Amino acid sequence: DAKTTQPPSMDCAEGRAANLPCNHSTISGNEYVYWYRQIHSQGPQYIIHGLKNNETNEMASLIITEDRKSSTLILPHATLRDTAVYYCIVRVAEYGNKLVFGAGTILRVKS
Amino acid sequence: GAVVSQHPSWVICKSGTSVKIECRSLDFQATTMFWYRQFPKQSLMLMATSNEGSKATYEQGVEKDKFLINHASLTLSTLTVTSAHPEDSSFYICSARAKRVLDGYTFGSGTRLTVV
């Protein structure tokens, strides 16, 4: 699976959009971009994934650049409960394929 | 949606004893589950892949005789930490594939193990 690079930490004001970047310059054509988050002392939570088109669900939006070398996770209206570690993972979507976590980005939402 | 239940959520045990952690997929069948370990302020480290009906596949550096994994059914995988030592104290998390291939994995809530 391709390697990803994320900033170690970010701050965001409550109610504002949080934009979390991820660099995956070595991504290959059959690899998807997945985002998870982990709130303190809990198991990770799936947020969203995409291949090349932008995606949106009830939690977030995922913007993938045309060359697929980077992406941005957008939380449109961050709340204090969105404070967590956010992980960007690139992997081939095959059943049984393991999920390997990098260091992630600590997002702190402040009032 | 897909739910993975992990039990217990926390456990304290004495050095030299064994501890079993259960991971169940509640509303779907999971032929493959994964076990992770997480130390404070660190990311999740994959320990092993648990395959129903066959032996687990361990990541490099993980002692298979110390961390016994059993995946006896399509909805249950167990991790047993044998002869636990204080350095085994950690947060253990399991995960399983959700129903659709493209869906993300669903994770259990984790087990905080403290060995005293």
Side-chain angles (χ1 to χ4, degrees):
Chain A
D1 295 332
K3 180 179 172 58
T4 62
T5 303
Q6 298 178 252
S9 66
M10 294 181 64
D11 289 339
C12 176
E14 188 178 20
R16 304 297 293 271
N19 297 285
L20 292 92
C22 180
N23 196 301
H24 32 79
S25 58
T26 61
I27 192 171
S28 55
N30 62 345
E31 289 183 310
Y32 286 72
V33 180
Y34 285 82
W35 282 84
Y36 288 80
R37 73 179 182 183
Q38 185 180 26
I39 296 170
H40 183 62
S41 294
Q42 297 183 23
Q45 176 189 25
Y46 166 80
I47 301 173
I48 199 167
H49 73 274
L51 182 63
K52 53 183 178 182
N53 296 322
N54 297 336
E55 302 288 344
T56 296
N57 62 20
E58 63 278 5
M59 289 183 66
S61 294
L62 174 61
I63 308 298
I64 302 174
T65 58
E66 193 168 341
D67 63 7
R68 302 212 317 128
K69 293 184 177 182
S70 66
S71 60
T72 301
L73 178 73
I74 301 173
L75 307 179
H77 305 287
T79 70
L80 297 178
R81 288 180 295 181
D82 291 321
T83 293
V85 181
Y86 287 77
Y87 297 98
C88 168
I89 301 170
V90 170
R91 58 184 292 277
V92 177
E94 292 178 350
Y95 193 90
N97 200 4
K98 56 189 178 184
L99 207 59
V100 178
F101 287 78
T105 296
I106 300 172
L107 175 68
R108 300 184 186 91
V109 181
K110 300 182 177 182
S111 58
Chain B
V3 178
V4 171
S5 174
Q6 190 171 341
H7 180 81
S9 56
W10 61 271
V11 58
I12 302 173
C13 72
K14 293 184 178 180
S15 290
T17 62
S18 296
V19 174
K20 180 184 286 188
I21 302 169
E22 292 189 349
C23 180
R24 294 180 183 273
S25 56
L26 296 186
D27 54 355
F28 66 102
Q29 294 181 337
T31 56
T32 302
M33 293 186 178
F34 300 87
W35 288 95
Y36 294 83
R37 178 168 55 180
Q38 186 176 33
F39 293 108
K41 297 188 178 181
Q42 293 187 23
S43 185
L44 286 79
M45 184 190 77
L46 181 65
M47 298 176 67
T49 302
S50 172
N51 303 299
E52 187 268 335
S54 65
K55 292 183 179 180
T57 304
Y58 291 82
E59 295 297 304
Q60 191 173 7
V62 177
E63 300 174 61
K64 61 180 181 181
D65 294 331
K66 181 169 186 61
F67 299 100
L68 301 180
I69 291 172
N70 184 280
H71 196 152
S73 76
L74 287 171
T75 58
L76 174 64
S77 175
T78 60
L79 168 68
T80 301
V81 182
T82 63
S83 187
H85 291 285
E87 55 264 32
D88 298 325
S89 298
S90 188
F91 192 53
Y92 293 86
I93 308 166
C94 69
S95 74
R97 166 79 78 175
K99 292 180 181 178
R100 297 191 308 166
V101 173
L102 289 182
D103 284 349
Y105 285 92
T106 299
F107 287 80
S109 55
T111 297
R112 174 76 58 193
L113 170 63
T114 302
V115 184
V116 297

